[in-house]
Amino acid sequence: MKFDRFDRLIIVFLLLTIVGLSLLLSRTIPERTTKIETRNMERELAAQARQALLDKLYSPVAASMQAGQMQEALLKLEEINVRYPGEAHGFILKGEIFDRLGVPDKAAASLVQGVKLNGDYIDKRSSVSRRDLITRLVDSTLPGAVSAYRNSPVNAVLKENLANLNYLKSRLAGGCE
């Protein structure tokens, strides 16, 4: 079969049309994200939503703490803990309040409960991290707790306090439960 000038012109236009359509389609098709990127984005969104919820729920407690009204903050915290009994943030705030009140054994016990429920409170990179508070508490009270336990090893309260402080120390060092 012999191609004349008209046939060649039609073939060229047909090829140009195919190239143009392929370029147009390649620009309009959205880039696909990988499963890992999608999972990371979902994890980040969930963390932001959780942080916003915690800020909203515990804002009365935080306001009382900033005003220096620790007893009132504890009362508000107990009201919230009745509605959300297993929330780790409540235990962490309770530990922070007890630390400010100068009751380190109760502070350590509350912090242990919170960290056991959610290890993000130890993680340096977490938005809810309380690593500095926990480090300061452990560093300031562990030596006294060790000597108190050595003086009275049968005292269950001292033993429990020492166990809580050692647990927090091990988690700070990167240990698992």
Side-chain angles (χ1 to χ4, degrees), residues 132-175:
D132 295 337
L133 165 71
I134 296 170
T135 302
R136 186 179 44 75
L137 179 73
V138 168
D139 290 346
S140 65
T141 59
L142 187 61
V146 169
S147 65
Y149 178 70
R150 284 186 183 150
N151 291 336
S152 179
V154 294
N155 190 335
V157 174
L158 294 176
K159 183 177 182 180
E160 181 181 350
N161 186 35
L162 183 61
N164 287 336
L165 290 169
N166 282 329
Y167 172 80
L168 290 173
K169 182 179 176 183
S170 74
R171 290 300 305 266
L172 287 169

Side-chain angles (χ1 to χ4, degrees), residues 28-58:
T28 59
I29 295 175
E31 292 183 26
R32 294 183 181 184
T33 57
T34 64
K35 290 181 181 180
I36 293 173
E37 289 171 345
T38 303
R39 225 176 292 134
N40 288 340
M41 186 171 50
E42 287 173 355
R43 192 175 302 125
E44 181 68 28
L45 285 172
Q48 288 176 359
R50 184 176 191 282
Q51 183 64 41
L53 177 66
L54 290 176
D55 290 344
K56 181 182 174 188
L57 278 176
Y58 293 99

Side-chain angles (χ1 to χ4, degrees), residues 14-167:
L14 187 62
L15 287 174
L16 285 175
T17 304
I18 291 171
V19 168
L21 281 174
S22 65
L23 286 174
L24 183 66
L25 288 175
S26 69
R27 289 183 183 169
T28 59
I29 295 175
E31 292 183 26
R32 294 183 181 184
T33 57
T34 64
K35 290 181 181 180
I36 293 173
E37 289 171 345
T38 303
R39 225 176 292 134
N40 288 340
M41 186 171 50
E42 287 173 355
R43 192 175 302 125
E44 181 68 28
L45 285 172
Q48 288 176 359
R50 184 176 191 282
Q51 183 64 41
L53 177 66
L54 290 176
D55 290 344
K56 181 182 174 188
L57 278 176
Y58 293 99
S59 63
V61 176
S64 295
M65 288 173 66
Q66 287 177 346
Q69 301 167 338
M70 298 302 158
Q71 299 298 331
E72 184 179 329
L74 275 174
L75 290 173
K76 289 178 181 180
L77 188 58
E78 288 305 316
E79 291 173 8
I80 295 170
N81 285 342
V82 168
R83 287 184 289 170
Y84 302 98
E87 178 56 48
H89 196 69
F91 291 112
I92 297 296
L93 286 176
K94 194 176 200 178
E96 189 173 343
I97 292 169
F98 281 135
D99 181 55
R100 289 186 185 183
L101 289 173
V103 188
D105 54 338
K106 287 188 177 184
S110 293
L111 290 170
V112 164
Q113 287 178 306
V115 168
K116 281 184 177 181
L117 288 171
N118 187 349
D120 289 345
Y121 291 100
I122 292 285
D123 188 8
K124 292 176 189 175
R125 297 167 289 167
S126 173
S127 63
V128 294
S129 178
R130 294 291 198 280
R131 186 177 186 89
D132 295 337
L133 165 71
I134 296 170
T135 302
R136 186 179 44 75
L137 179 73
V138 168
D139 290 346
S140 65
T141 59
L142 187 61
V146 169
S147 65
Y149 178 70
R150 284 186 183 150
N151 291 336
S152 179
V154 294
N155 190 335
V157 174
L158 294 176
K159 183 177 182 180
E160 181 181 350
N161 186 35
L162 183 61
N164 287 336
L165 290 169
N166 282 329
Y167 172 80

